[in-house]
Coordinates of all heavy atoms in Angstrom, one line a residue:
M1 N 8.3 -7.5 19.0 CA 7.7 -6.2 19.0 C 6.9 -6.1 20.3 O 6.0 -6.9 20.5 CB 6.9 -5.9 17.8 CG 6.2 -4.6 17.8 SD 5.1 -4.3 16.4 CE 6.2 -4.5 15.0
N2 N 7.2 -5.0 21.1 CA 6.4 -4.8 22.3 C 5.2 -4.1 22.0 O 4.9 -3.6 20.9 CB 7.3 -4.2 23.4 CG 7.6 -2.7 23.0 OD1 6.8 -2.0 22.4 ND2 8.8 -2.3 23.4
K3 N 4.3 -3.9 23.1 CA 3.0 -3.3 22.9 C 3.1 -1.9 22.4 O 2.3 -1.5 21.6 CB 2.3 -3.4 24.3 CG 0.8 -3.3 24.2 CD 0.3 -3.6 25.6 CE -1.2 -3.8 25.5 NZ -1.8 -4.2 26.8
E4 N 4.1 -1.1 22.9 CA 4.2 0.3 22.6 C 4.6 0.4 21.0 O 4.1 1.2 20.3 CB 5.3 1.0 23.4 CG 5.5 2.5 23.0 CD 4.3 3.3 23.2 OE1 3.4 3.0 23.9 OE2 4.2 4.4 22.4
Q5 N 5.6 -0.4 20.6 CA 5.9 -0.4 19.2 C 4.8 -0.8 18.3 O 4.6 -0.3 17.3 CB 7.2 -1.4 19.0 CG 8.4 -1.0 19.6 CD 9.5 -2.0 19.6 OE1 9.2 -3.2 19.8 NE2 10.7 -1.6 19.4
S6 N 4.0 -1.8 18.7 CA 2.9 -2.3 18.0 C 1.9 -1.2 17.9 O 1.3 -0.9 16.8 CB 2.3 -3.5 18.6 OG 1.1 -3.9 17.9
H7 N 1.7 -0.4 18.9 CA 0.8 0.6 18.9 C 1.3 1.8 17.9 O 0.5 2.3 17.2 CB 0.6 1.3 20.3 CG -0.3 2.5 20.4 ND1 -1.6 2.4 20.3 CD2 0.0 3.8 20.5 CE1 -2.1 3.7 20.4 NE2 -1.1 4.4 20.5
Q8 N 2.5 2.1 18.0 CA 3.1 3.2 17.1 C 2.9 2.7 15.7 O 2.7 3.5 14.8 CB 4.5 3.4 17.5 CG 4.6 4.2 18.8 CD 6.1 4.4 19.3 OE1 7.0 3.8 18.6 NE2 6.3 5.1 20.4
E9 N 3.2 1.4 15.4 CA 3.0 0.9 14.0 C 1.6 1.1 13.5 O 1.4 1.5 12.4 CB 3.5 -0.5 13.9 CG 3.4 -1.1 12.6 CD 3.9 -2.5 12.4 OE1 3.5 -3.4 13.4 OE2 4.5 -2.9 11.5
A10 N 0.7 0.7 14.4 CA -0.8 0.8 14.0 C -1.1 2.3 13.7 O -1.9 2.6 12.8 CB -1.6 0.3 15.2
V11 N -0.6 3.2 14.5 CA -0.9 4.7 14.3 C -0.4 5.1 12.9 O -1.1 5.7 12.2 CB -0.3 5.5 15.4 CG1 -0.4 7.0 15.1 CG2 -1.0 5.3 16.7
K12 N 0.8 4.7 12.5 CA 1.4 5.0 11.3 C 0.5 4.4 10.1 O 0.3 5.1 9.1 CB 2.8 4.5 11.1 CG 3.8 5.3 11.9 CD 5.2 4.7 11.7 CE 6.2 5.3 12.6 NZ 7.6 4.7 12.4
I13 N 0.1 3.2 10.3 CA -0.7 2.6 9.3 C -2.0 3.3 9.1 O -2.5 3.5 8.0 CB -0.9 1.1 9.6 CG1 0.5 0.4 9.5 CG2 -1.9 0.4 8.7 CD1 0.5 -1.0 10.1
Y14 N -2.7 3.5 10.2 CA -4.0 4.1 10.1 C -3.9 5.5 9.6 O -4.8 6.0 8.9 CB -4.7 4.0 11.4 CG -5.4 2.7 11.6 CD1 -4.9 1.8 12.5 CD2 -6.5 2.3 10.9 CE1 -5.4 0.5 12.7 CE2 -7.1 1.1 11.1 CZ -6.6 0.2 12.0 OH -7.1 -1.0 12.1
K15 N -2.9 6.2 9.9 CA -2.7 7.6 9.4 C -2.5 7.5 7.9 O -3.1 8.3 7.1 CB -1.5 8.2 10.0 CG -1.2 9.6 9.6 CD -0.1 10.2 10.4 CE 0.2 11.7 9.9 NZ 1.3 12.3 10.6
A16 N -1.7 6.5 7.4 CA -1.5 6.4 6.0 C -2.8 6.0 5.2 O -3.1 6.5 4.2 CB -0.5 5.3 5.7
L17 N -3.6 5.1 5.8 CA -4.8 4.6 5.3 C -5.9 5.7 5.4 O -7.0 5.5 4.8 CB -5.2 3.4 5.8 CG -4.3 2.1 5.5 CD1 -4.7 0.9 6.2 CD2 -4.2 2.0 4.0
G18 N -5.7 6.7 6.2 CA -6.8 7.7 6.4 C -6.9 8.6 5.2 O -7.8 9.5 5.1
E19 N -5.9 8.5 4.3 CA -5.9 9.4 3.1 C -6.6 8.6 2.0 O -6.2 7.5 1.7 CB -4.5 9.7 2.8 CG -4.3 10.9 1.9 CD -4.7 10.9 0.5 OE1 -4.8 9.8 -0.1 OE2 -5.2 11.9 0.0
P20 N -7.6 9.1 1.4 CA -8.4 8.3 0.5 C -7.7 7.7 -0.7 O -8.0 6.6 -1.1 CB -9.5 9.3 0.0 CG -9.7 10.3 1.1 CD -8.3 10.4 1.7
T21 N -6.7 8.4 -1.2 CA -5.9 8.0 -2.4 C -5.2 6.7 -1.9 O -5.2 5.7 -2.7 CB -5.0 9.0 -2.9 OG1 -5.7 10.2 -3.2 CG2 -4.1 8.5 -4.0
R22 N -4.6 6.7 -0.8 CA -3.8 5.5 -0.4 C -4.7 4.4 0.0 O -4.4 3.2 -0.4 CB -2.9 5.9 0.8 CG -1.8 6.9 0.5 CD -0.8 7.0 1.5 NE -1.1 8.0 2.6 CZ -0.9 9.2 2.6 NH1 -0.1 9.8 1.6 NH2 -1.2 10.0 3.6
L23 N -5.9 4.6 0.5 CA -6.8 3.5 0.8 C -7.2 3.0 -0.4 O -7.3 1.7 -0.5 CB -8.0 4.1 1.6 CG -9.0 3.0 2.0 CD1 -8.4 2.0 2.9 CD2 -10.2 3.7 2.8
N24 N -7.5 3.7 -1.5 CA -7.9 3.2 -2.8 C -6.8 2.3 -3.4 O -7.1 1.2 -4.0 CB -8.2 4.3 -3.8 CG -9.6 5.0 -3.5 OD1 -10.4 4.4 -2.8 ND2 -9.7 6.2 -3.9
I25 N -5.6 2.7 -3.2 CA -4.5 1.9 -3.8 C -4.4 0.6 -3.1 O -4.2 -0.5 -3.7 CB -3.1 2.7 -3.6 CG1 -3.1 3.9 -4.5 CG2 -2.0 1.8 -3.9 CD1 -2.0 4.9 -4.2
V26 N -4.5 0.6 -1.7 CA -4.5 -0.6 -1.0 C -5.6 -1.6 -1.3 O -5.5 -2.8 -1.6 CB -4.4 -0.4 0.6 CG1 -4.5 -1.7 1.4 CG2 -3.1 0.3 0.9
K27 N -6.8 -1.0 -1.4 CA -8.0 -1.8 -1.8 C -7.7 -2.5 -3.2 O -8.1 -3.7 -3.4 CB -9.3 -1.0 -1.8 CG -9.8 -0.7 -0.4 CD -11.1 -0.1 -0.5 CE -11.8 0.0 0.9 NZ -13.1 0.6 0.8
L28 N -7.3 -1.7 -4.1 CA -7.0 -2.2 -5.5 C -6.0 -3.4 -5.4 O -6.3 -4.5 -6.0 CB -6.5 -1.2 -6.4 CG -6.1 -1.5 -7.8 CD1 -7.3 -2.1 -8.6 CD2 -5.4 -0.5 -8.5
L29 N -4.9 -3.2 -4.6 CA -3.9 -4.2 -4.6 C -4.4 -5.4 -3.8 O -3.9 -6.6 -4.0 CB -2.6 -3.6 -3.9 CG -1.8 -2.8 -5.0 CD1 -0.8 -2.0 -4.3 CD2 -1.1 -3.8 -5.9
C30 N -5.4 -5.3 -2.9 CA -5.9 -6.4 -2.2 C -6.6 -7.4 -3.1 O -6.8 -8.6 -2.9 CB -6.9 -6.0 -1.1 SG -6.0 -5.4 0.4
K31 N -7.0 -6.8 -4.3 CA -7.8 -7.6 -5.3 C -6.8 -8.3 -6.3 O -7.3 -9.1 -7.1 CB -8.8 -6.7 -6.0 CG -9.9 -6.1 -5.2 CD -10.7 -5.2 -6.0 CE -11.7 -4.4 -5.1 NZ -12.5 -3.5 -5.9
H32 N -5.5 -8.0 -6.3 CA -4.6 -8.5 -7.2 C -3.4 -9.0 -6.5 O -3.0 -8.5 -5.4 CB -4.2 -7.4 -8.2 CG -5.3 -6.9 -9.0 ND1 -5.8 -7.4 -10.2 CD2 -6.1 -5.7 -8.8 CE1 -6.7 -6.7 -10.6 NE2 -7.0 -5.7 -9.8
D33 N -2.7 -9.9 -7.0 CA -1.4 -10.4 -6.4 C -0.4 -9.3 -6.4 O 0.2 -9.1 -5.4 CB -1.0 -11.6 -7.2 CG 0.3 -12.3 -6.5 OD1 0.3 -12.4 -5.3 OD2 1.2 -12.7 -7.3
E34 N -0.2 -8.6 -7.5 CA 0.7 -7.5 -7.6 C 0.3 -6.7 -8.9 O -0.2 -7.2 -9.8 CB 2.2 -8.0 -7.6 CG 2.5 -8.7 -8.9 CD 4.0 -9.2 -8.9 OE1 4.5 -9.4 -7.9 OE2 4.5 -9.3 -10.1
L35 N 0.7 -5.4 -8.8 CA 0.5 -4.5 -9.9 C 1.7 -3.6 -10.1 O 2.3 -3.3 -9.1 CB -0.8 -3.7 -9.7 CG -2.1 -4.4 -9.7 CD1 -3.3 -3.4 -9.4 CD2 -2.4 -5.0 -11.1
S36 N 1.9 -3.2 -11.3 CA 3.0 -2.3 -11.6 C 2.4 -0.8 -11.3 O 1.2 -0.6 -11.3 CB 3.5 -2.3 -13.0 OG 2.4 -1.9 -13.9
C37 N 3.3 0.2 -11.2 CA 2.8 1.5 -11.1 C 1.9 1.9 -12.2 O 0.9 2.6 -12.0 CB 4.1 2.5 -11.0 SG 5.1 2.4 -9.5
S38 N 2.3 1.6 -13.4 CA 1.5 2.0 -14.5 C 0.1 1.3 -14.5 O -0.9 2.0 -14.9 CB 2.3 1.7 -15.8 OG 2.5 0.3 -16.0
Q39 N 0.0 0.1 -14.0 CA -1.3 -0.6 -13.9 C -2.1 0.1 -12.9 O -3.3 0.3 -13.1 CB -1.1 -2.1 -13.6 CG -0.5 -2.8 -14.8 CD -0.1 -4.3 -14.3 OE1 0.5 -4.4 -13.2 NE2 -0.4 -5.2 -15.1
I40 N -1.5 0.5 -11.8 CA -2.3 1.2 -10.7 C -2.7 2.5 -11.2 O -3.9 3.0 -11.1 CB -1.4 1.4 -9.4 CG1 -1.0 0.0 -8.8 CG2 -2.2 2.3 -8.4 CD1 0.1 0.1 -7.8
E41 N -1.8 3.2 -11.8 CA -2.1 4.6 -12.4 C -3.2 4.5 -13.4 O -4.2 5.3 -13.4 CB -0.9 5.1 -13.1 CG -0.8 6.5 -13.6 CD 0.5 6.9 -14.2 OE1 1.5 6.5 -13.7 OE2 0.4 7.7 -15.2
E42 N -3.2 3.5 -14.3 CA -4.3 3.3 -15.3 C -5.6 3.0 -14.6 O -6.7 3.5 -15.0 CB -3.9 2.2 -16.2 CG -4.9 1.9 -17.3 CD -4.3 0.8 -18.2 OE1 -3.3 0.9 -18.9 OE2 -4.9 -0.3 -18.2
Q43 N -5.6 2.1 -13.7 CA -6.9 1.6 -13.0 C -7.6 2.7 -12.2 O -8.7 2.8 -12.1 CB -6.8 0.3 -12.3 CG -6.5 -0.8 -13.2 CD -6.6 -2.1 -12.6 OE1 -7.5 -2.4 -11.7 NE2 -5.8 -3.1 -13.0
L44 N -6.7 3.5 -11.4 CA -7.2 4.6 -10.5 C -7.2 6.0 -11.1 O -7.6 6.9 -10.4 CB -6.5 4.4 -9.2 CG -6.6 3.2 -8.5 CD1 -5.8 3.1 -7.2 CD2 -8.1 2.9 -8.1
N45 N -6.5 6.0 -12.3 CA -6.4 7.4 -12.9 C -5.7 8.4 -12.1 O -6.1 9.6 -12.0 CB -7.8 7.9 -13.3 CG -7.7 9.0 -14.4 OD1 -6.8 9.0 -15.2 ND2 -8.7 9.9 -14.4
Y46 N -4.5 8.0 -11.5 CA -3.7 8.9 -10.7 C -2.5 9.2 -11.6 O -2.1 8.3 -12.4 CB -3.2 8.2 -9.4 CG -4.3 7.9 -8.5 CD1 -4.3 6.9 -7.6 CD2 -5.4 8.7 -8.3 CE1 -5.3 6.5 -6.7 CE2 -6.5 8.5 -7.4 CZ -6.4 7.4 -6.6 OH -7.4 7.1 -5.7
K47 N -2.0 10.4 -11.4 CA -0.7 10.8 -12.1 C 0.5 10.2 -11.5 O 0.5 9.9 -10.3 CB -0.6 12.3 -12.2 CG -1.8 12.9 -12.9 CD -1.9 12.6 -14.3 CE -3.0 13.2 -15.0 NZ -3.7 12.4 -16.0
G48 N 1.6 10.0 -12.2 CA 2.8 9.4 -11.8 C 3.4 9.9 -10.6 O 3.7 9.2 -9.6
S49 N 3.6 11.2 -10.5 CA 4.2 11.9 -9.3 C 3.3 11.7 -8.0 O 3.8 11.4 -7.0 CB 4.6 13.3 -9.5 OG 3.5 14.1 -9.8
T50 N 2.1 11.9 -8.2 CA 1.2 11.7 -7.1 C 1.1 10.2 -6.6 O 1.2 10.0 -5.4 CB -0.3 12.2 -7.5 OG1 -0.3 13.4 -7.8 CG2 -1.3 11.9 -6.4
L51 N 1.1 9.4 -7.6 CA 1.1 7.9 -7.2 C 2.4 7.5 -6.5 O 2.4 6.9 -5.5 CB 0.9 7.0 -8.5 CG 0.8 5.6 -8.2 CD1 -0.3 5.2 -7.3 CD2 0.8 4.9 -9.6
S52 N 3.5 8.0 -7.0 CA 4.8 7.6 -6.4 C 4.8 8.1 -4.9 O 5.4 7.4 -4.1 CB 6.0 8.3 -7.2 OG 6.1 7.8 -8.5
H53 N 4.3 9.3 -4.7 CA 4.3 9.8 -3.3 C 3.5 8.9 -2.4 O 4.0 8.6 -1.3 CB 3.8 11.2 -3.3 CG 3.4 11.7 -2.0 ND1 4.4 12.2 -1.0 CD2 2.2 11.8 -1.3 CE1 3.8 12.6 0.0 NE2 2.5 12.3 -0.1
H54 N 2.3 8.5 -2.9 CA 1.5 7.7 -2.0 C 2.1 6.2 -1.9 O 2.0 5.7 -0.7 CB 0.1 7.7 -2.6 CG -0.6 8.9 -2.5 ND1 -0.9 9.5 -1.3 CD2 -1.1 9.8 -3.5 CE1 -1.6 10.7 -1.5 NE2 -1.7 10.8 -2.8
L55 N 2.6 5.8 -2.9 CA 3.2 4.4 -2.8 C 4.4 4.4 -1.8 O 4.5 3.5 -1.0 CB 3.7 3.8 -4.2 CG 2.7 3.5 -5.2 CD1 3.3 3.3 -6.6 CD2 1.9 2.3 -4.7
K56 N 5.2 5.5 -1.9 CA 6.3 5.6 -0.9 C 5.8 5.6 0.5 O 6.3 5.0 1.4 CB 7.1 6.9 -1.2 CG 8.2 7.1 -0.2 CD 8.9 8.4 -0.5 CE 10.0 8.7 0.5 NZ 10.6 10.0 0.4
Q57 N 4.7 6.4 0.8 CA 4.1 6.4 2.2 C 3.7 5.0 2.6 O 3.9 4.6 3.7 CB 2.9 7.4 2.1 CG 3.3 8.8 1.8 CD 4.2 9.4 3.0 OE1 3.9 9.3 4.2 NE2 5.2 10.1 2.6
L58 N 3.0 4.3 1.7 CA 2.5 3.0 2.1 C 3.6 2.0 2.3 O 3.5 1.1 3.1 CB 1.5 2.5 0.9 CG 0.2 3.3 0.9 CD1 -0.5 3.0 -0.4 CD2 -0.6 3.0 2.1
V59 N 4.7 2.1 1.5 CA 5.8 1.2 1.7 C 6.5 1.5 3.1 O 6.8 0.6 3.9 CB 6.8 1.2 0.5 CG1 8.2 0.6 0.9 CG2 6.2 0.7 -0.7
E60 N 6.7 2.8 3.3 CA 7.4 3.2 4.6 C 6.6 2.7 5.9 O 7.3 2.4 6.8 CB 7.5 4.7 4.6 CG 8.6 5.2 3.7 CD 8.8 6.7 3.7 OE1 8.0 7.4 4.3 OE2 9.8 7.2 3.0
C61 N 5.3 2.7 5.8 CA 4.5 2.2 7.0 C 4.3 0.7 7.0 O 3.8 0.2 7.9 CB 3.2 3.0 7.1 SG 2.0 2.4 6.0
G62 N 4.8 0.1 5.9 CA 4.8 -1.4 5.9 C 3.5 -2.0 5.3 O 3.4 -3.2 5.3
V63 N 2.6 -1.3 4.8 CA 1.3 -1.8 4.2 C 1.6 -2.4 2.9 O 1.0 -3.4 2.5 CB 0.2 -0.7 4.2 CG1 -0.9 -1.1 3.3 CG2 -0.1 -0.2 5.5
L64 N 2.5 -1.8 2.1 CA 2.9 -2.3 0.8 C 4.4 -2.7 0.8 O 5.1 -2.2 1.6 CB 2.6 -1.4 -0.3 CG 1.2 -0.8 -0.6 CD1 1.2 0.1 -1.9 CD2 0.2 -2.0 -0.8
R65 N 4.7 -3.5 -0.2 CA 6.2 -3.8 -0.3 C 6.4 -3.9 -1.9 O 5.5 -4.2 -2.7 CB 6.6 -5.1 0.4 CG 5.9 -6.3 -0.1 CD 6.4 -7.5 0.8 NE 5.7 -8.7 0.4 CZ 6.2 -9.6 -0.5 NH1 7.2 -9.3 -1.3 NH2 5.5 -10.7 -0.9
L66 N 7.6 -3.5 -2.2 CA 8.1 -3.7 -3.6 C 8.3 -5.2 -3.8 O 9.1 -5.8 -3.2 CB 9.4 -2.8 -3.9 CG 9.9 -2.9 -5.2 CD1 9.0 -2.3 -6.2 CD2 11.2 -2.2 -5.3
A67 N 7.4 -5.8 -4.8 CA 7.5 -7.2 -5.1 C 8.7 -7.5 -6.0 O 9.4 -8.4 -5.7 CB 6.3 -7.7 -5.6
R68 N 8.9 -6.7 -6.9 CA 10.0 -6.9 -7.9 C 10.1 -5.7 -8.8 O 9.3 -4.9 -8.9 CB 9.7 -8.2 -8.7 CG 8.5 -8.1 -9.5 CD 8.2 -9.5 -10.2 NE 6.9 -9.5 -10.8 CZ 6.7 -9.2 -12.0 NH1 7.6 -9.1 -12.9 NH2 5.4 -9.3 -12.6
K69 N 11.2 -5.7 -9.5 CA 11.5 -4.7 -10.5 C 11.7 -5.5 -11.8 O 12.4 -6.5 -11.8 CB 12.8 -3.9 -10.2 CG 12.7 -3.0 -9.1 CD 14.0 -2.2 -8.9 CE 13.8 -1.4 -7.6 NZ 15.1 -0.6 -7.4
E70 N 11.1 -5.0 -12.9 CA 11.3 -5.6 -14.2 C 11.6 -4.5 -15.1 O 10.6 -3.8 -15.6 CB 10.0 -6.4 -14.5 CG 10.2 -7.3 -15.7 CD 8.9 -8.2 -15.9 OE1 8.6 -9.0 -15.0 OE2 8.2 -7.9 -16.9
G71 N 12.9 -4.3 -15.5 CA 13.3 -3.2 -16.3 C 13.0 -1.9 -15.5 O 13.4 -1.8 -14.4
T72 N 12.2 -1.0 -16.2 CA 11.9 0.2 -15.5 C 10.6 0.1 -14.7 O 10.1 1.1 -14.1 CB 11.6 1.4 -16.5 OG1 10.7 1.0 -17.4 CG2 13.0 1.6 -17.2
Y73 N 9.9 -1.1 -14.7 CA 8.6 -1.2 -14.0 C 8.9 -1.7 -12.5 O 9.7 -2.6 -12.4 CB 7.7 -2.2 -14.7 CG 7.3 -1.7 -16.0 CD1 8.0 -2.1 -17.3 CD2 6.3 -0.9 -16.2 CE1 7.6 -1.7 -18.5 CE2 5.8 -0.4 -17.4 CZ 6.5 -0.8 -18.6 OH 6.1 -0.3 -19.8
H74 N 8.1 -1.2 -11.6 CA 8.2 -1.5 -10.2 C 6.8 -2.1 -9.9 O 5.7 -1.6 -10.2 CB 8.4 -0.3 -9.3 CG 9.7 0.2 -9.5 ND1 10.1 1.2 -10.4 CD2 10.9 0.1 -8.7 CE1 11.3 1.5 -10.3 NE2 11.8 0.8 -9.3
F75 N 6.8 -3.3 -9.3 CA 5.6 -4.1 -9.0 C 5.4 -4.1 -7.5 O 6.4 -4.4 -6.9 CB 5.6 -5.5 -9.5 CG 5.6 -5.6 -11.0 CD1 6.6 -5.4 -11.8 CD2 4.3 -5.9 -11.7 CE1 6.6 -5.5 -13.2 CE2 4.3 -5.9 -13.0 CZ 5.4 -5.7 -13.8
Y76 N 4.2 -3.7 -7.1 CA 3.9 -3.7 -5.7 C 2.9 -4.7 -5.3 O 2.1 -5.1 -6.1 CB 3.4 -2.3 -5.3 CG 4.4 -1.2 -5.4 CD1 4.7 -0.6 -6.6 CD2 5.2 -0.9 -4.3 CE1 5.7 0.4 -6.7 CE2 6.2 0.0 -4.4 CZ 6.4 0.7 -5.6 OH 7.4 1.7 -5.6
R77 N 3.0 -5.1 -4.0 CA 1.9 -6.0 -3.4 C 1.7 -5.7 -2.0 O 2.5 -5.0 -1.4 CB 2.3 -7.5 -3.6 CG 3.5 -7.9 -2.8 CD 3.7 -9.3 -2.9 NE 3.6 -9.9 -4.3 CZ 3.6 -11.1 -4.7 NH1 3.7 -12.0 -3.8 NH2 3.5 -11.4 -6.0
V78 N 0.5 -6.0 -1.5 CA 0.1 -5.7 -0.1 C 1.1 -6.6 0.8 O 1.3 -7.8 0.5 CB -1.3 -6.2 0.1 CG1 -1.7 -6.2 1.5 CG2 -2.2 -5.2 -0.7
N79 N 1.5 -6.0 1.9 CA 2.2 -6.8 2.9 C 1.1 -7.4 3.8 O 0.7 -6.7 4.8 CB 3.2 -5.9 3.7 CG 4.0 -6.6 4.6 OD1 3.8 -7.8 5.0 ND2 5.0 -6.0 5.0
Q80 N 0.7 -8.6 3.5 CA -0.5 -9.2 4.2 C -0.2 -9.3 5.7 O -1.1 -9.1 6.5 CB -0.8 -10.5 3.6 CG -2.2 -11.0 3.9 CD -3.3 -10.0 3.5 OE1 -3.3 -9.6 2.5 NE2 -4.2 -9.7 4.5
D81 N 1.1 -9.6 6.1 CA 1.4 -9.7 7.5 C 1.0 -8.5 8.4 O 0.5 -8.5 9.4 CB 2.8 -10.1 7.8 CG 3.2 -11.5 7.2 OD1 2.3 -12.3 7.1 OD2 4.4 -11.7 7.0
T82 N 1.4 -7.3 7.7 CA 1.0 -6.1 8.4 C -0.5 -5.8 8.5 O -0.9 -5.4 9.5 CB 1.7 -4.9 7.7 OG1 3.1 -5.1 7.6 CG2 1.4 -3.5 8.2
L83 N -1.1 -6.1 7.4 CA -2.6 -5.9 7.4 C -3.3 -6.8 8.4 O -4.2 -6.4 9.1 CB -3.2 -6.1 6.0 CG -2.9 -5.0 5.0 CD1 -3.6 -5.3 3.7 CD2 -3.2 -3.6 5.5
D84 N -2.8 -8.0 8.4 CA -3.4 -9.0 9.4 C -3.2 -8.6 10.9 O -4.1 -8.9 11.7 CB -2.7 -10.4 9.2 CG -3.2 -11.1 7.9 OD1 -4.2 -10.6 7.2 OD2 -2.5 -12.1 7.5
R85 N -2.1 -7.9 11.1 CA -1.8 -7.6 12.5 C -2.6 -6.3 12.9 O -3.0 -6.2 14.1 CB -0.3 -7.2 12.7 CG 0.6 -8.3 13.0 CD 1.9 -7.9 13.5 NE 2.6 -6.8 12.8 CZ 3.4 -6.9 11.7 NH1 3.6 -8.2 11.2 NH2 3.9 -5.9 11.2
H86 N -2.9 -5.4 12.0 CA -3.4 -4.1 12.3 C -4.8 -3.7 11.7 O -5.4 -2.7 12.1 CB -2.4 -3.0 12.2 CG -1.2 -3.2 12.9 ND1 -1.1 -3.1 14.3 CD2 0.1 -3.6 12.5 CE1 0.1 -3.3 14.7 NE2 0.8 -3.6 13.7
V87 N -5.1 -4.3 10.6 CA -6.1 -3.7 9.7 C -7.2 -4.7 9.3 O -6.9 -5.8 9.0 CB -5.5 -3.1 8.4 CG1 -6.6 -2.4 7.6 CG2 -4.4 -2.0 8.8
V88 N -8.4 -4.2 9.3 CA -9.5 -5.0 8.7 C -10.1 -4.1 7.6 O -10.7 -3.0 7.9 CB -10.6 -5.3 9.8 CG1 -11.7 -6.0 9.2 CG2 -10.0 -6.1 11.0
L89 N -10.0 -4.6 6.4 CA -10.5 -3.9 5.3 C -11.8 -4.6 4.9 O -11.7 -5.8 4.6 CB -9.6 -3.8 4.1 CG -8.4 -2.9 4.3 CD1 -7.4 -3.0 3.1 CD2 -8.9 -1.4 4.4
Q90 N -12.8 -3.8 4.5 CA -14.1 -4.5 4.1 C -14.0 -4.4 2.6 O -13.7 -3.3 2.0 CB -15.3 -3.7 4.6 CG -15.5 -3.7 6.1 CD -15.6 -5.1 6.7 OE1 -16.3 -5.9 6.1 NE2 -14.9 -5.4 7.7
P91 N -14.4 -5.5 1.9 CA -14.4 -5.4 0.4 C -15.5 -4.5 -0.1 O -16.4 -4.3 0.6 CB -14.7 -6.9 0.0 CG -15.2 -7.5 1.2 CD -14.7 -6.8 2.4
D92 N -15.2 -3.9 -1.3 CA -16.3 -3.0 -1.9 C -17.4 -3.8 -2.3 O -17.4 -4.9 -2.7 CB -15.7 -2.2 -3.1 CG -14.7 -1.2 -2.6 OD1 -14.8 -0.8 -1.4 OD2 -13.8 -0.8 -3.4

């Protein structure tokens, strides 16, 4: 990845994390190995369609990845490589 591509990737990531809902999702997942959509929904009190939209944005910019599917459940985890390259999150 060249310098320009790295810069563009960082812009996408910071834009995604600039939305408080998405930042809360990432902070929650940083505290856990992986969580299902329903676990995230329960802990942060977000509705399904809203949560799905934000998870999609975070996956598209590379901050999260789909860890696995188990039946109808989707489990997400932080893509630590992406965060290590571009982001410093302070614990709560």
